[in-house]
Amino acid sequence: MQVQEVLQAAADRVAASVVRIETYGGVRRTLGADEGSDAVGRAGSSRMEEDLLAQLFDRADPVEIGELWRQKGLAPKDTPFEAEDLRQLGDAVLDRLLRKHQLGPYRPKSGAEREDDVGRIGQGAGFLQAQGASTGLVLSADGWILASRFALSFDPTTVLVTLPDGRTFTATRHGEDTSRGLALLKIDATDLAVPELADPAAVRIGQWAFVLGRTFAPRGRPSVHTGIVSATRRLFGRAIQIDAWTSPANYGGAVIDARGRVLGLAVPLSPSGRDAGADWYDSGIGFAVTLADIGDVVDRMRTGEVVHRAWFGVLLAPEHLGPGAVVTDVAVDSPASSLSLLRGDLLVEFAGERVRNAFHAQILIGQHLAGDPVEVAWQRDGVRHEATVQLGAVPFREREAVTRSDEVFEKPWEGDPPPGEGEEGRR
Amino acid sequence: MSAGNAAFRGAWIALFLQLPVVAQGGVFVERAALSPVEKLVHDRLPSVVKVHGASGLKTIVPYASGVVVSEAGHVLTLDLVMVQSGQTRVVLADGSVHEAELLPPEPNLGVRLLKIDPSRVRTPLRPVSLSSDLPENGTFVVTLGNAFRLAEYGEKVGASLGVIAATTEPGLPLRHRLADVRYEGRLILTDAPNNPGQYGGGMFTLDGRFVGLNARVLEAVETNTLVSAAIPCADLIAYVDRFVHGRVPAVVDEGDAPAAPGYHGIRLFDQGGRRSPPAYVERVARGSPAASLGLRPDDLIVRVGDRSVRSCAEFDEEIARFAAGAEVELTFKRGNDVRRGTMTLGEARR
């Protein structure tokens, strides 16, 4: 059989389980604004293209401009406003005006032409979330649907799921797994087509990986992007890495093998701790969260629980080559501090495994979810101590801080804060 | 979307190369055979040309690609800004340079025919005909074009491999840099890389069909990602036929002004503000088309016809496409039910 036929047959086998997700309402935010892109933004500050500025000036009401001008505290003008004057209003006001007049979000022009940036996503102070339809995967015949958190991160008031046969349902949101970028939905349907899940342990590097999406293909065969498995057991054993294109056009879609078995779900994860989606898009690096091995997590999500990656709260010294990992700092109010761990202690065992070195400890911690009870053993002055502790979730402020510090090994890599932990625009 | 992934493409080439023998002139030759990709490139590369145009402005890329579509010297390409009368040249696969005459563009799909003088051509032209097929998702395609003007002077254009991801419905919302782009046609989306210079190049299936003309790289509004796409040849046949074969379409678009939007009787709960809220119904006029459809206050309108409307503004935009007398299907959510209904729009009220 030709590869093309294999590919199309595999896609068709899963097609009925790949659903379209549409959202209504909610607060769309700009994601991924960080210091790196801010630098680009600053360099290009108020450098809007002439023709766009002219368009905006045409649409804006002079009275409105005058009002903004006064609010900004600028000196009154004797002459009528000109397009060029808009620059004086600053980036934030320009952004508001552009959106209001349906000219899109304001992205300061950078030095390089975006087109020539070989597929880089929009430059500027952050990345606007995708607004279009997203993709989900049927988990069970009675209406449990798995989706990417990316599609729901702006808290839509209404979520609709449309099956490939055209039936549309209102979905209720259940739990989430921030460590995997997953969200669980439920629709009131029966007899849904359930896909076959591939065994994550049997996935080999180099095998085919096809990504299916519904954003641009609502009915029939989903959209198809092709690639191979680049690596297995990535992101603390939660995902496989693929080289097919993943983007908001197929996040939440099934990643399948050549026989139409589901290897995982395409999600915007990144190991850097920044909001994923922008930074890894179109890089030849995509992640598919494996599903066959997370039944217990799905069960927790069914009850509405939001699970997070575990946090222990230690800084570990990379220069200590092991065995064990030397603690260089302990976070306040962390699981580690509750054990009275101190700087200089040697972490020797974590969750029943011997700690080989600082990097190994980071993996051991990262594999767990917040709330997991683990046994920890450490040495102080040659004396061994043991205790059981319940792991926590990374406090959001700290997550921001730790991504800027190379000393920290417990780098978080999921994007959003847990609910209620003080993020602007989220209630 | 244009970053390649070399490892995967390498794997492909290896795979296609595994065909052991080939029949050549009735004789089986034991040597590395042409893979389907190689054969396609061999057959179609001579039909793809480089197009050089007007430059001057920094933002205008003065080069593109084109496809030879007639022995009389017609070249199909995009109607880019750089395509200017008196300043457009076509470089054939044999490296020869020709002045190009500009024919009228296709106004809705943004393509244009160029014409070179066939009497000045040394190597015979290798025209390809436009395929009326729209291949399925997952079909392998090769795109041929002069990406980033890497092919200097007499060098040949390059090839990229990918699959057709999907073909969109007409009217996918698109942006170029910050400005919205009006494009009402369908687009073939692909994971083959597309880049400046490749615009106007050809997209071919492995069996040699010319199925698409490389579009500009634009940004999809819905995903905020760049899209690598081609304009379906199926949608360009009428335009090409008209100039190449002198066939005039039976129905000429008179381009009359659109009729006034019809009356529906829905008032949405739109308090204005920075972002247009979801299209919740505030009031339905008594006896109106919407009332006969059964729409009620507090229903959430989610679709007009096949198009999703996520806000009051999107609803207004979509419904304005329909004139009095038009039948419009609305999909709306009441409580947890998703319902559908059809209404016939009335005459607009003054």
Side-chain angles (χ1 to χ4, degrees):
Chain A
M1 225 176 5
Q2 292 281 333
V3 175
Q4 179 174 305
E5 291 164 29
V6 171
L7 157 61
Q8 293 180 342
D12 289 344
R13 235 189 117 194
V14 194
S17 310
V18 181
V19 302
R20 183 174 165 94
I21 296 174
E22 285 161 298
T23 57
Y24 300 82
V27 182
R28 294 180 204 286
R29 293 171 290 138
T30 300
L31 297 176
D34 63 9
E35 302 206 314
S37 58
D38 190 22
V40 174
R42 267 201 299 274
S45 190
S46 288
R47 282 171 56 197
M48 191 189 290
E49 283 166 73
E50 302 289 343
D51 52 356
L52 183 71
L53 203 66
Q55 271 185 60
L56 181 61
F57 187 70
D58 274 354
R59 295 194 196 182
D61 180 354
V63 178
E64 177 184 37
I65 297 173
E67 187 61 41
L68 294 167
W69 192 267
R70 272 192 300 281
Q71 282 173 16
K72 186 89 184 166
L74 294 162
K77 282 192 61 155
D78 301 330
T79 51
F81 286 110
E82 289 165 33
E84 201 59 34
D85 292 332
L86 291 179
R87 295 191 197 277
Q88 306 275 341
L89 297 173
D91 297 358
V93 177
L94 282 174
D95 175 66
R96 219 156 67 216
L97 270 179
L98 282 169
R99 287 170 195 269
K100 179 175 169 193
H101 296 290
Q102 271 129 47
L103 290 164
Y106 171 51
R107 278 181 254 189
K109 198 172 141 192
S110 66
E113 289 295 341
R114 289 189 34 203
E115 248 181 332
D116 294 340
D117 277 351
V118 198
R120 283 279 307 280
I121 201 153
Q123 299 262 352
F127 166 63
L128 189 76
Q129 284 165 312
Q131 301 157 44
S134 173
T135 310
L137 184 69
V138 171
L139 261 195
S140 72
D142 61 345
W144 291 99
I145 310 275
L146 210 47
S148 159
R149 289 182 74 234
F150 182 80
L152 306 170
S153 56
F154 46 85
D155 291 333
T157 49
T158 298
V159 180
L160 297 185
V161 169
T162 301
L163 305 179
D165 64 14
R167 285 184 291 161
T168 301
F169 298 88
T170 306
T172 47
R173 291 177 66 182
H174 289 259
E176 297 187 3
D177 182 347
T178 64
S179 81
R180 291 182 170 84
L182 298 178
L184 191 66
L185 302 173
K186 177 75 170 69
I187 60 172
D188 200 7
T190 51
D191 300 328
L192 300 183
V194 182
E196 185 187 345
L197 302 183
D199 175 9
V203 174
R204 290 154 295 130
I205 296 169
Q207 76 175 66
W208 290 114
F210 309 132
V211 194
L212 309 180
R214 284 281 177 217
T215 301
F216 294 127
R219 306 271 173 95
R221 185 181 295 154
S223 67
V224 183
H225 289 84
T226 55
I228 59 166
V229 173
S230 306
T232 58
R233 298 197 56 76
R234 279 284 193 257
L235 306 180
F236 305 100
R238 290 179 172 90
I240 59 167
Q241 184 192 324
I242 58 176
D243 73 349
W245 287 5
T246 60
S247 78
N250 55 23
Y251 288 150
V255 178
I256 60 171
D257 68 9
R259 290 204 218 156
R261 293 176 302 198
V262 175
L263 298 169
L265 205 76
V267 287
L269 292 175
S270 92
S272 71
R274 287 154 55 179
D275 264 313
D279 27 3
W280 296 78
Y281 154 68
D282 197 19
S283 58
I285 294 173
F287 293 106
V289 166
T290 53
L291 302 179
D293 51 349
I294 60 162
D296 52 337
V297 175
V298 172
D299 287 344
R300 286 168 71 176
M301 287 159 70
R302 276 179 217 250
T303 66
E305 191 179 345
V306 177
V307 299
H308 301 284
R309 188 166 75 78
W311 178 63
F312 187 46
V314 286
L315 295 185
L316 302 171
E319 59 276 11
H320 179 76
L321 302 178
V326 174
V327 175
T328 57
D329 206 351
V330 177
V332 181
D333 292 336
S334 65
S337 72
S338 76
L339 294 178
S340 306
L341 240 64
L342 294 176
R343 182 187 176 120
D345 287 352
L346 184 72
L347 194 62
V348 290
E349 271 178 39
F350 192 90
E353 282 206 55
R354 206 165 278 177
V355 173
R356 291 203 287 268
N357 54 37
F359 297 94
H360 185 223
Q362 184 198 2
I363 299 248
L364 290 177
I365 298 166
Q367 284 173 346
H368 284 88
L369 292 173
D372 287 356
V374 290
E375 288 178 14
V376 182
W378 68 97
Q379 278 179 14
R380 183 180 302 161
D381 303 326
V383 181
R384 183 184 164 96
H385 301 262
E386 285 178 10
T388 300
V389 69
Q390 196 174 21
L391 295 174
V394 184
F396 180 58
R397 269 179 215 94
E398 205 139 334
R399 289 190 211 194
E400 271 203 317
V402 293
T403 57
R404 290 183 195 133
S405 164
D406 291 331
E407 295 174 323
V408 178
F409 283 93
E410 268 190 77
K411 273 197 209 168
W413 46 274
E414 68 272 55
D416 282 355
E421 287 194 77
E423 188 192 356
E424 202 189 338
R426 193 182 167 111
R427 277 160 289 111
Chain B
M1 286 203 244
S2 46
N5 35 43
F8 139 58
R9 279 172 222 294
W12 265 116
I13 302 301
L15 198 133
F16 281 118
L17 275 170
Q18 276 167 11
L19 302 175
V21 290
V22 67
Q24 233 175 34
V27 183
F28 281 99
V29 184
E30 274 195 272
R31 63 171 183 82
L34 291 182
S35 75
V37 176
E38 290 169 331
K39 182 170 184 321
L40 180 276
V41 171
H42 175 265
D43 293 348
R44 290 293 178 245
L45 204 66
S47 309
V48 180
V49 301
K50 296 181 274 187
V51 179
H52 292 243
S55 62
L57 279 171
K58 242 205 260 178
T59 49
I60 296 175
V61 179
Y63 50 91
S65 304
V67 180
V68 178
V69 294
S70 84
E71 279 171 13
H74 291 93
V75 171
L76 186 63
T77 185
L78 294 190
D79 189 28
L80 299 164
V81 179
M82 61 136 223
V83 177
Q84 297 279 335
S85 184
Q87 297 183 59
T88 306
R89 290 168 307 283
V90 165
V91 185
L92 298 180
D94 65 5
S96 59
V97 184
H98 303 262
E99 297 280 343
E101 173 198 342
L102 270 56
L103 300 183
E106 207 295 341
N108 300 316
L109 300 176
V111 304
R112 191 193 274 272
L113 280 168
L114 309 176
K115 192 170 178 311
I116 60 172
D117 182 357
S119 66
R120 299 193 55 238
V121 175
R122 290 170 301 187
T123 335
L125 289 172
R126 297 269 298 272
V128 281
S129 55
L130 283 74
S131 170
S132 59
D133 302 336
L134 209 56
E136 296 173 12
N137 304 353
T139 303
F140 275 89
V141 286
V142 171
T143 59
L144 298 174
N146 185 13
F148 291 118
R149 197 175 52 184
L150 290 172
E152 294 284 1
Y153 307 107
E155 291 171 6
K156 289 183 172 33
V157 299
S160 312
L161 179 68
V163 298
I164 289 178
T167 301
T168 69
E169 293 294 316
L172 181 75
L174 294 165
R175 259 197 311 258
H176 178 60
R177 305 216 176 96
L178 290 159
D180 287 341
V181 173
R182 265 264 176 262
Y183 175 78
E184 294 297 334
R186 302 183 287 188
L187 280 178
I188 301 174
L189 305 181
T190 176
D191 62 5
N194 191 16
N195 290 300
Q198 231 165 347
Y199 304 170
M203 172 188 274
F204 301 91
T205 55
L206 295 189
D207 56 10
R209 285 174 293 159
F210 174 34
V211 293
L213 195 74
N214 285 344
R216 278 194 296 164
V217 170
L218 296 168
E219 190 172 296
V221 172
E222 295 186 342
T223 57
N224 287 305
T225 54
L226 299 178
V227 291
S228 178
I231 301 166
C233 283
D235 299 345
L236 301 175
I237 289 175
Y239 166 69
V240 171
D241 275 358
R242 188 173 157 198
F243 288 101
V244 174
H245 306 293
R247 289 184 204 129
V248 179
V251 181
V252 180
D253 186 1
E254 286 165 10
D256 51 1
Y263 167 71
H264 47 73
I266 303 165
R267 195 163 92 190
L268 297 175
F269 189 74
D270 187 356
Q271 70 276 55
R274 203 173 132 187
R275 293 194 171 96
S276 182
Y280 280 103
V281 175
E282 186 176 12
R283 217 160 71 188
V284 178
R286 205 170 293 167
S288 67
S292 65
L293 179 151
L295 204 67
R296 286 199 227 143
D298 291 340
D299 288 346
L300 171 66
I301 301 173
V302 296
R303 232 171 268 163
V304 175
D306 284 339
R307 299 205 185 208
S308 296
V309 290
R310 279 174 294 267
S311 64
C312 295
E314 286 183 17
F315 172 81
D316 291 342
E317 195 179 314
E318 285 304 322
I319 201 77
R321 295 169 188 265
F322 298 95
E327 294 222 324
V328 181
E329 187 193 58
L330 295 185
T331 307
F332 55 96
K333 177 178 162 281
R334 177 176 302 161
N336 272 340
D337 290 346
V338 179
R339 304 179 181 213
R340 281 188 186 136
T342 305
M343 61 179 178
T344 307
L345 297 187
E347 288 296 332
R349 295 177 170 185
R350 301 270 153 196

